[in-house]
Amino acid sequence: MTPSRLTCLARESGTDPHLMASDGYVYHVLFHVFLGLQIHNHIYSMPSIAYKVPSMTKYQASLATNYTDTSEVVDLDWENLGFGLVETDFMYVAKCGPEGNFSKGEVRPFGPIAVSPSAGVLNYGQVPPTGKGSLYIRPLLMGSGAVLGLAPAPEYTFIIFVSPVGNYFKEGLSPINLIVEDKFHRASPGGTGGVKTIGNYASVLKAQKIAKGKGYSDVLYLDAVHDKYLEEVSSCNIFVVKDNVISTPAIKGTILPGITRKSIIEVAQSKGFKVEERLVSVDELLDVDEVFCTGTAVVVSPVGSITYMGERVEYGNQGVGVVSQQLYKSLTSLQMGLVEDCMGWTVQLNQ
């Protein structure tokens, strides 16, 4: 059997595009795409489509009508065709912005796609003037080799790029306001919550968007088993302070072992604080002196309030806590070379 190459084919799924979610009716658009299939010099049509989503953004998709004819014939062993990648001539490409409208798109020759190293799918950050920001170093590792089935990629690409950044939270060192999430979970035991992977951040986006829509800075997640122990905020670790004791959730496979978390623990111990890595119950938030977050981007971010089950608890009269301020100053002074490095962390670079 020697059929000509497939240009592109997408079969109609027949699925109802109106899907019901637990928090109400959420309408999803299913794009029933008919692309041209050429078999023995017969061309089949490619109609344009548009679905209007009730009471929501109008999502549109249209198909390009220009595509290249091909007369080249390929000989495939159809009897022994496994589930692997077989490159065809063309692919359809369209883009969508935040407003929900897809571009008309076009049929292009099948081949590599150009993606920025800072693209959202690969990430989840010029040197700024001193004191005006940070040089954010972002390493990323992606499976860049071609693979269609569920399997490790045959090739990987490691990239490092840098970007000047300001404060992660718009509040800067000013206190942020968190809400404890009681419906969604960031990670579960046995998963990849303890590794900095793309999937760890995809799961927080919906809850984070809802929280920010209500005026909160971010979301504080609980464990997925008992729903009572603190895990971490969307992109940073959490600490609580009671008297001279600083406590933070223990690393147990669902929490990222952040380098800033580790640095703050060591700095705090050097300042005479007792640091505990343990299970921290959400109920303890009612009786602590301070709460703060740590992360590569946030460094140290004091928490001004936490809302849980409709009740709001405030800390430090919405000001920066004494411990948060002390640890922030100690760590950033080390980072900027303003004090002697007794920790052995910094490296002097010679031009």
Side-chain angles (χ1 to χ4, degrees):
M1 182 179 293
T2 57
S4 60
R5 285 189 178 180
L6 303 181
T7 56
C8 279
L9 174 62
R11 294 181 177 175
E12 185 176 14
S13 67
T15 306
D16 185 351
H18 298 157
L19 304 177
M20 187 172 70
S22 57
D23 57 347
Y25 286 97
V26 179
Y27 296 99
H28 298 272
V29 178
L30 298 177
F31 300 112
H32 302 271
V33 181
F34 297 93
L35 295 180
L37 169 62
Q38 177 187 333
I39 300 179
H40 296 301
N41 299 321
H42 291 285
I43 302 297
Y44 297 90
S45 62
M46 306 194 316
S48 296
I49 57 175
Y51 280 114
K52 185 174 183 180
V53 182
S55 304
M56 293 183 68
T57 306
K58 182 178 181 181
Y59 289 79
Q60 293 183 328
S62 59
L63 303 182
T65 56
N66 295 326
Y67 60 97
T68 305
D69 191 4
T70 178
S71 58
E72 185 179 348
V73 174
V74 64
D75 187 9
L76 289 178
D77 183 0
W78 294 98
E79 298 299 328
N80 296 299
L81 187 63
F83 191 85
L85 179 63
V86 177
E87 294 186 3
T88 53
D89 292 320
F90 303 104
M91 60 185 183
Y92 175 75
V93 180
K95 294 192 176 183
C96 173
E99 73 287 348
N101 294 322
F102 278 85
S103 63
K104 184 177 181 180
E106 61 180 339
V107 176
R108 299 177 182 173
F110 182 90
I113 56 174
V115 178
S116 169
S118 60
V121 69
L122 303 178
N123 299 272
Y124 106 157
Q126 297 46 311
V127 178
T130 302
K132 298 296 183 181
S134 303
L135 182 65
Y136 195 90
I137 303 174
R138 168 57 59 82
L140 64 92
L141 177 67
M142 60 179 178
S144 53
V147 60
L148 187 63
L150 180 60
E155 179 188 77
Y156 295 86
T157 299
F158 180 62
I159 299 174
I160 299 176
F161 67 95
V162 299
S163 174
V165 296
N167 293 312
Y168 181 82
F169 292 116
K170 60 181 177 58
E171 294 90 345
L173 189 58
S174 300
I176 62 175
N177 300 299
L178 302 177
I179 183 170
V180 177
E181 178 54 55
D182 59 354
K183 293 184 179 64
F184 301 100
H185 292 96
R186 180 193 155 272
S188 60
T192 58
V195 183
K196 198 176 182 69
T197 63
I198 299 172
N200 288 344
Y201 297 95
S203 60
V204 308
L205 297 181
K206 183 176 182 179
Q208 188 181 63
K209 182 178 181 180
I210 294 172
K212 290 188 175 182
K214 295 178 179 178
Y216 297 102
S217 306
D218 215 324
V219 177
L220 174 58
Y221 292 89
L222 301 179
D223 74 290
V225 177
H226 306 285
D227 243 2
K228 63 177 291 186
Y229 297 111
L230 306 185
E231 291 258 294
E232 62 178 63
V233 182
S234 300
S235 60
C236 44
N237 298 108
I238 189 87
F239 288 77
V240 299
V241 182
K242 181 64 176 177
D243 299 326
N244 196 51
V245 179
I246 300 176
S247 302
T248 188
I251 299 300
K252 58 184 189 302
T254 58
I255 300 172
L256 286 172
I259 187 61
T260 307
R261 174 187 181 277
K262 182 176 183 295
S263 300
I264 285 295
I265 289 175
E266 295 185 21
V267 168
Q269 290 171 333
S270 72
K271 300 295 181 183
F273 289 98
K274 179 182 179 181
V275 180
E276 298 178 340
E277 297 180 70
R278 59 178 177 84
L279 293 176
V280 181
S281 169
V282 66
D283 296 329
E284 295 184 46
L285 295 175
L286 301 174
D287 191 40
V288 296
D289 303 323
E290 289 183 44
V291 180
F292 62 86
C293 302
T294 65
T296 306
V298 305
V299 188
V300 174
S301 186
V303 175
S305 74
I306 295 180
T307 299
Y308 176 54
M309 302 296 285
E311 295 189 16
R312 178 185 173 107
V313 181
E314 295 187 350
Y315 307 99
N317 296 319
Q318 287 285 293
V320 180
V322 175
V323 177
S324 303
Q325 178 70 60
Q326 181 181 1
L327 295 178
Y328 175 83
K329 183 177 180 180
S330 297
L331 183 57
T332 55
S333 295
L334 278 170
Q335 291 174 333
M336 294 186 287
L338 301 178
V339 297
E340 182 182 357
D341 177 18
C342 298
M343 313 297 288
W345 291 344
T346 58
V347 176
Q348 183 69 41
L349 297 180
N350 298 318
Q351 295 184 346

